[in-house]
Amino acid sequence: MKDRIYNFAAGPSMLADEVLDRLYADFYSYQDSGMAVMEMSHRAKDYLAVFSETKDRLRKIMAIGEDYEIFFMHGGATGQFAAVPLNLMKKGKADYIVTGNFAKKAAQEAMKYGEVKIIYDGKDNGYSQIPAIDELHFSRDVDYIHLCSNNTIYGTQWHKYPETKDIPLVADMSSDILSKKINVADFGLIYAGAQKNMGIAGIAVVIIRKDLINQGNPLMPQILSYELMAKNDSMLNTPATYPIYVLGEVLRWIEDKGGLEQIEKDNIRKADLLYDYLDGQTFYKPHARKTDRSLMNVTFTTPDPELDSLFAAQAQENGMANLKGHRLVGGIRASIYNAMPVEGVEKLIEFMDLFAKENA
Ligand SMILES: Cc1ncc(COP(=O)(O)O)c(C=O)c1O
């Protein structure tokens, strides 16, 4: 490994060394084309091959059926907070499940375009929980039901999704897509910003059941239109060529590792190490309810906010960066996405133990 440290950032976040090596090898001249990928026209033959291979690889790895379209869109996941209601609201109604800050932002954006019912809001438990499925009472006449599968800030994750029958389930999977196998057919639409498990910032990936693609709201900016994305294969305008290429290299790395089955095993192993340590001591206090803990973002506090800051600063000095919790919740957050090796987690636990002994 070069002069690299373990980067526990929530996103943009760590890329695997193998991926960085590939990007580096291709940097000046992609596969003897004499040109860097970022210099290529999005219509060039070489680039079109990168684009379609990336899409095909994503379809294969996630087992996305032919009844779904894949888009690479601008505007990050936040763009999708608007795109989803603008495209899917035909009756003008949707249910939103608010399990954290991004789920709330998605709901607030949707409220501009239609009638949004918040059927669950976790604010009273400090967003430390995911609702039990039987706690949720869906409306019958809505266009879709929206949830956020992993709450990046609070460190909670849905481990079982509600069955919404004929009402499409829409999920913001920004912080846990590609971290485990999922059944895409359970969802009408999945979207994610790429800057965690899918590479670098600059694209939102949208996976949508084809029958949900329609004209949408006539006032919608064309850049958010799923119909136009489908008609133009995500090339209504210049797509974010480099982030799409990076996604392709990340997908190749996932394949080389043994696909999502292996990735999921590795993620469980890493998270178990960290949570087992947390459960076996009393200095640190985990934030999320045990049953709802995220395998991607592990959140906890020391007994004192000043110690939280000291923890992050000393961890940085010891080669572990970005452990400070989100400004909304404070404390400490260790984001352990796919690219974080188990050695990074082991090193963190060693440091945590030492820090606890020194500061108890
Ligand atoms: C779950 C979730 N949704 C949405 C967003 C916003 O993503 P973007 O910055 O791509 O708009 C984030 C960013 O961290 C996130 O974690």
Side-chain angles (χ1 to χ4, degrees):
M1 183 144 134
K2 298 105 196 163
D3 287 339
R4 298 206 2 106
I5 58 175
Y6 293 115
N7 179 6
F8 289 90
S13 47
M14 211 168 163
L15 289 169
D17 281 359
E18 294 90 330
V19 171
L20 289 174
D21 282 342
R22 275 202 170 115
L23 303 185
Y24 184 69
D26 283 344
F27 191 76
Y28 281 100
S29 174
Y30 175 74
Q31 316 243 314
D32 298 327
S33 65
M35 221 184 262
V37 173
M38 59 194 106
E39 297 174 298
M40 288 177 184
S41 159
H42 57 295
R43 311 272 180 209
K45 194 166 134 272
D46 280 341
Y47 187 75
L48 287 174
V50 168
F51 183 90
S52 62
E53 271 174 36
T54 301
K55 239 172 90 170
D56 293 348
R57 202 164 256 129
L58 181 63
R59 194 178 284 284
K60 191 166 148 234
I61 289 176
M62 287 187 69
I64 302 169
E66 288 302 325
D67 48 341
Y68 284 76
E69 286 276 6
I70 299 168
F71 305 141
F72 302 127
M73 294 179 67
H74 296 286
T78 303
Q80 296 307 310
F81 294 169
V84 166
L86 283 166
N87 283 280
L88 300 193
M89 276 185 171
K90 282 189 192 156
K91 300 174 196 152
K93 289 182 187 175
D95 281 353
Y96 275 70
I97 305 170
V98 175
T99 49
N101 191 52
F102 290 111
K104 187 162 110 192
K105 285 188 171 180
Q108 284 168 340
E109 187 73 357
M111 281 171 195
K112 295 179 186 167
Y113 308 111
E115 205 179 301
V116 165
K117 189 165 170 204
I118 310 276
I119 58 164
Y120 172 86
D121 190 335
K123 66 175 183 298
D124 291 343
N125 59 55
Y127 297 114
S128 63
Q129 302 177 13
I130 296 293
I133 306 276
D134 57 12
E135 247 182 275
L136 298 169
H137 301 290
F138 301 116
S139 312
R140 287 184 201 290
D141 57 343
V142 288
D143 293 302
Y144 62 90
I145 294 158
H146 181 282
L147 61 78
C148 177
S149 60
N150 183 77
N151 299 284
T152 325
I153 295 176
Y154 298 93
T156 59
Q157 185 175 23
W158 291 78
H159 297 298
K160 188 173 184 295
Y161 300 112
E163 279 171 33
T164 57
K165 302 206 174 78
D166 51 340
I167 301 175
L169 182 60
V170 174
D172 172 1
M173 289 198 185
S174 294
S175 50
D176 67 351
I177 197 161
L178 294 178
S179 69
K180 58 180 179 180
K181 276 174 100 167
I182 57 154
N183 183 18
V184 172
D186 291 343
F187 299 88
L189 188 152
I190 293 167
Y191 65 91
Q195 62 273 24
K196 301 157 201 294
N197 277 333
M198 294 190 128
I200 60 173
I203 44 167
V205 174
V206 176
I207 301 163
I208 179 171
R209 216 174 61 213
K210 284 179 180 164
D211 64 287
L212 296 175
I213 300 171
N214 66 84
Q215 263 186 323
N217 185 320
L219 292 178
M220 162 162 57
Q222 56 175 340
I223 197 67
L224 294 181
S225 161
Y226 296 151
E227 190 189 35
L228 293 178
M229 285 299 136
K231 275 191 183 144
N232 295 280
D233 197 9
S234 301
M235 293 204 190
L236 173 73
N237 69 334
T238 316
T241 51
Y242 200 73
I244 294 168
Y245 155 73
V246 176
L247 168 59
E249 292 304 326
V250 169
L251 292 168
R252 205 193 288 263
W253 172 76
I254 290 176
E255 241 171 31
D256 291 347
K257 286 201 78 152
L260 292 184
E261 214 162 303
Q262 187 57 42
I263 289 276
E264 182 171 359
K265 279 188 196 149
D266 294 346
N267 284 331
I268 291 173
R269 181 167 162 230
K270 287 185 288 175
D272 278 354
L273 277 176
L274 203 38
Y275 285 123
D276 285 350
Y277 171 74
L278 282 169
D279 289 339
Q281 55 78 57
T282 51
F283 182 77
Y284 303 102
K285 190 170 168 288
H287 177 73
R289 180 164 69 175
K290 220 166 174 174
T291 48
D292 306 324
R293 287 169 166 176
S294 165
L295 299 189
M296 299 283 100
N297 313 95
V298 179
T299 49
F300 55 93
T301 49
T302 70
D304 173 343
E306 274 182 26
L307 277 181
D308 291 341
S309 302
L310 186 68
F311 179 99
Q314 289 190 355
Q316 174 87 38
E317 287 165 16
N318 284 280
M320 289 165 283
N322 294 312
L323 280 155
K324 203 169 181 325
H326 189 274
R327 61 192 140 63
L328 278 178
V329 279
I332 295 154
R333 171 175 55 176
S335 295
I336 50 172
Y337 298 117
N338 292 353
M340 174 61 67
V342 69
E343 292 79 16
V345 175
E346 286 165 350
K347 185 169 166 155
L348 175 63
I349 294 169
E350 212 175 289
F351 171 77
M352 286 170 73
D353 205 37
L354 200 67
F355 186 88
K357 286 191 179 115
E358 279 173 2
N359 295 283

